[in-house]
Amino acid sequence: APYHEYLIEPSYNLILDGIKIYGRRSMDPDTNIGNSIVHVKEDIQVTVKESSSDNVTYLGRNNNNGEYDPPGGSIVSLDSKGGAFRVEDKGSLRLEGGTISDVAATYGSAIYLEAASADQGRMHLTGKPAVTGSVYLSGNGVTTSAFVETDQNYQPASPLLISVGNDFNGRTVV
């Protein structure tokens, strides 16, 4: 059934491996919208991986922009933060593999990392994830600025596009 809120909002840590998750536009025209596919809340970690070439993990076909008019309700504006993932303060996204593509949002067409406190949302990259779209790093100061962590095993399938909410001098990005 069509949705307009988050498609997945786990209450416990979650591993996505060998699953294809299509957002709102997989069932409707490109003009139809839904919030982020996955909402990573405080103290939750979501890990995306591909344990084998036969176990493809994909998130895509989602448009998190604009507003919708629910049946019998008032018009609701989407937050436009993260086409595939929105990661809240103290939330964590770990990309070890998988593909994110064909997503749209004003702030982070692929991923949005929140940084309203010193315990900003976190994203760790390792392995060979493919992210088509931008990663938005929110923030308003040195102690409240989201950033991306990588390790020596990170081999991006394509360049990672990053946009920042406050581009002050000396800000950590990666």
Side-chain angles (χ1 to χ4, degrees), residues 92-167:
S92 176
L93 175 62
R94 183 174 173 85
L95 296 180
E96 299 178 5
T99 300
I100 298 170
S101 69
D102 197 20
V103 289
T106 303
Y107 304 102
S109 56
I111 300 165
Y112 178 89
L113 295 177
E114 182 64 57
S117 74
D119 296 313
Q120 66 270 2
R122 299 189 183 282
M123 182 170 78
H124 183 84
L125 300 172
T126 188
K128 296 181 182 180
V131 179
T132 303
S134 66
V135 175
Y136 186 89
L137 307 176
S138 73
N140 57 18
V142 175
T143 60
T144 60
S145 296
F147 58 93
V148 176
E149 301 168 308
T150 63
D151 65 23
Q152 71 275 8
N153 297 316
Y154 178 51
Q155 300 173 14
S158 60
L160 186 65
L161 303 175
I162 296 176
S163 56
V164 295
N166 185 350
D167 58 350

Side-chain angles (χ1 to χ4, degrees), residues 11 37 40 60 64 67 75 84 89-90 100 103 105-106 115 121 133 141 146 149-150 155-156 164 169:
S11 297
I37 296 173
V40 183
N64 181 3
E67 8 180 78
I75 293 177
D89 278 351
K90 297 183 184 179
I100 298 170
V103 289
T106 303
E149 301 168 308
T150 63
Q155 300 173 14
V164 295
N169 289 338

